[in-house]
Amino acid sequence: MAWGQHQVDLTWDQYFDAAKTWRCKTALRVRKVEDNGSGYNDFWMYKASQRLVYARGLWKLTVAGSY
């Protein structure tokens, strides 16, 4: 049995200040997995994620969530 995978990612980075210390990153992903058999293992996967980043000097603070 062989597996095939197709995937599309869409990401958006947004900086909130000129110094680029605050950043927000949004990502969406759609993935389709298929087998070459009867199709029993064919499925779709969806993912949405959000990340808020504060970076200053050597420090970086990240808060992330996904569904």
Side-chain angles (χ1 to χ4, degrees), residues 19-22 53-61:
K20 295 186 177 181
T21 55
W22 285 99
V53 179
Y54 175 77
R56 185 164 186 145
L58 297 176
W59 290 90
K60 184 177 180 181
L61 178 65

Side-chain angles (χ1 to χ4, degrees), residues 4-5 14-15 18 21 24 28 32-33 35 39 42 47 57-58 63-65:
Q5 176 176 299
Q14 177 68 48
Y15 291 98
T21 55
C24 182
L28 301 171
K32 183 177 183 185
V33 177
D35 64 21
D42 294 353
K47 182 179 179 182
L58 297 176
V63 177

Side-chain angles (χ1 to χ4, degrees), residues 7 10 15 19-20 23 27-28 31 39 41 52 54 62:
Q7 179 173 314
L10 177 65
Y15 291 98
K20 295 186 177 181
R23 176 174 68 162
L28 301 171
R31 179 185 298 170
N41 295 310
L52 181 64
Y54 175 77
T62 303

Side-chain angles (χ1 to χ4, degrees), residues 9-16 23-29 47-53 63-66:
D9 291 316
L10 177 65
T11 59
W12 176 269
D13 277 329
Q14 177 68 48
Y15 291 98
F16 294 111
R23 176 174 68 162
C24 182
K25 183 172 187 175
T26 304
L28 301 171
R29 172 181 288 167
K47 182 179 179 182
S49 62
Q50 184 71 42
R51 182 181 301 161
L52 181 64
V53 179
V63 177
S66 66

Side-chain angles (χ1 to χ4, degrees), residues 1-4 32-44:
M1 179 172 296
W3 293 79
K32 183 177 183 185
V33 177
E34 300 175 304
D35 64 21
N36 66 345
S38 64
Y40 179 77
N41 295 310
D42 294 353
F43 58 92
W44 288 84

